[in-house]
Amino acid sequence: MSYKKVLTIQDISCVGQCSLTVALPVISACGIETCVLPSAVLSTHTAGFTGYTFRDLTEDMPAIKDHWVKEGIAFDAIYTGYLGSTKQIDYVSDIFDAVGKEGALKIVDPAMADNGKLYYGFDDAFVQAMKKLCAKADYLVPNITEACFLTDSEYKTEYDKAYVDALLEKLSALGSKNIILTGVSYREGKTGVVVFEDGEYKYYEHDKHSKGCHGTGDIYASAFVGAIVRGKSAYDAAKIAADYVLACIISTQEEDNHWYGAKFETSLGKLIEMVNS
Ligand code: PXL
């Protein structure tokens, strides 16, 4: 197996099982060197906690990049998650160009919305900037809500295949090469992911657990990155990530008050097995 080096750019939420505290262990568990560029440090994530601290690291980003360029440091893949401002999106775009090896994979999780709403602190200017970053993505990993914001489409909780196909067409018109659309549910009790690769759609459906958990989008994207960088096809990586997230949700549901994140740690063994098989 060739040893790969990935850079992931997102915040550190010190407590809350999301962003870098998920990406670092999950991608490392896949046997990949995982380097980080923290975009901000928060005491907790912003979904459900109040009064959290927020240390913005935007102005550190170009200096960190310049140092890496000087040292000749480059990455096989770059994966971006939650970013705190439109300026950070511009910096990330430069980082893609400056420290990606020839043919480096760019994976963009446009982490900014869920359940029909933007996360606290995001606005239309951020959505417009994120559209531009999507153009650089080899793999774009949005949920349905993010897909709607990125394509100026109406958010629906009930829809058919024609609605999903239209979202995918519009997302690919933004310039993303391949799209993994998560949380696509066509019938009661089931959900799944659509993989749109080289103009072809494939759907992977699995059981839906009624109590959703916060942070599953970050777990999904991190596991997808781990599997795709280890050489799996987009469909296999999307399936591995879906099966892993489902295992995380099931173990989290055993406890009533674990509302702020999913217990991704206890299923890492299963992820490692799937990535190595
Ligand atoms: O899980 C996405 C995420 C990441 N980072 C921070 C967040 C959220 C979602 O709310 O608040 C700080």
Side-chain angles (χ1 to χ4, degrees):
M1 164 193 142
S2 74
Y3 187 69
K4 295 277 172 63
K5 186 178 359 213
V6 168
L7 168 65
T8 179
I9 311 173
Q10 40 192 318
D11 71 283
I12 297 178
S13 287
C14 301
V15 171
Q17 288 172 310
C18 68
S19 39
L20 277 187
T21 67
V22 167
L24 185 52
V26 167
I27 303 170
S28 297
C30 294
I32 297 160
E33 179 179 348
T34 310
C35 305
V36 301
L37 202 175
S39 55
V41 179
L42 295 84
S43 49
T44 64
H45 63 62
T46 66
F49 293 103
T50 52
Y52 42 82
T53 68
F54 186 100
R55 170 79 55 198
D56 181 24
L57 297 177
T58 305
E59 292 317 323
D60 292 43
M61 293 172 78
I64 290 171
K65 176 208 69 181
D66 290 345
H67 180 221
W68 288 342
V69 169
K70 199 162 143 257
E71 292 291 326
I73 294 167
F75 304 95
D76 298 292
I78 304 177
Y79 152 45
T80 69
Y82 183 102
L83 300 169
S85 64
T86 53
K87 196 161 183 196
Q88 287 194 352
I89 295 179
D90 292 340
Y91 286 153
V92 163
S93 192
D94 290 346
I95 291 167
F96 277 170
D97 298 334
V99 294
K101 285 186 189 166
E102 176 86 33
L105 286 183
K106 284 130 194 151
I107 302 113
V108 174
D109 175 359
M112 59 183 180
D114 206 359
N115 301 313
K117 286 192 222 131
L118 287 173
Y119 294 142
Y120 181 80
F122 290 107
D123 58 13
D124 186 56
F126 187 87
V127 175
Q128 299 312 320
M130 185 55 84
K131 286 182 187 177
K132 283 195 244 149
L133 193 64
C134 293
K136 292 198 163 185
D138 293 295
Y139 294 96
L140 180 68
V141 192
N143 60 33
I144 297 253
T145 303
E146 289 155 350
C148 288
F149 278 105
L150 290 169
T151 60
D152 304 302
S153 307
E154 186 193 349
Y155 173 74
K156 293 185 182 174
T157 47
E158 277 175 33
Y159 44 76
D160 56 10
K161 191 169 172 298
Y163 172 80
V164 171
D165 289 355
L167 284 179
L168 289 164
E169 291 295 342
K170 288 188 206 160
L171 285 171
S172 84
L174 292 175
S176 306
K177 289 201 185 71
N178 304 291
I179 297 148
I180 318 297
L181 183 61
T182 63
V184 179
S185 169
Y186 292 121
R187 53 191 177 130
E188 190 75 26
K190 298 280 178 189
T191 188
V193 289
V194 180
V195 179
F196 184 58
E197 189 183 26
D198 302 326
E200 230 187 90
Y201 304 80
K202 285 186 193 155
Y203 181 53
Y204 176 60
E205 188 182 63
H206 57 81
D207 286 345
K208 180 176 183 161
H209 283 260
S210 50
K211 202 179 118 202
C213 304
H214 182 266
T216 50
D218 299 355
I219 300 172
Y220 185 90
S222 300
F224 176 81
V225 168
I228 201 93
V229 170
R230 283 290 306 277
K232 301 288 182 194
S233 69
Y235 181 79
D236 287 347
K239 180 178 183 303
I240 287 171
D243 290 345
Y244 173 54
V245 168
L246 192 60
C248 298
I249 292 173
I250 290 169
S251 54
T252 308
Q253 282 182 338
E254 290 159 5
E255 195 187 311
D256 279 347
N257 62 359
H258 197 98
W259 58 270
Y260 53 83
K263 297 181 181 175
F264 68 93
E265 304 86 351
T266 49
S267 298
L268 278 172
K270 182 180 164 83
L271 174 65
I272 293 168
E273 251 173 54
M274 292 189 289
V275 166
N276 285 329
S277 70

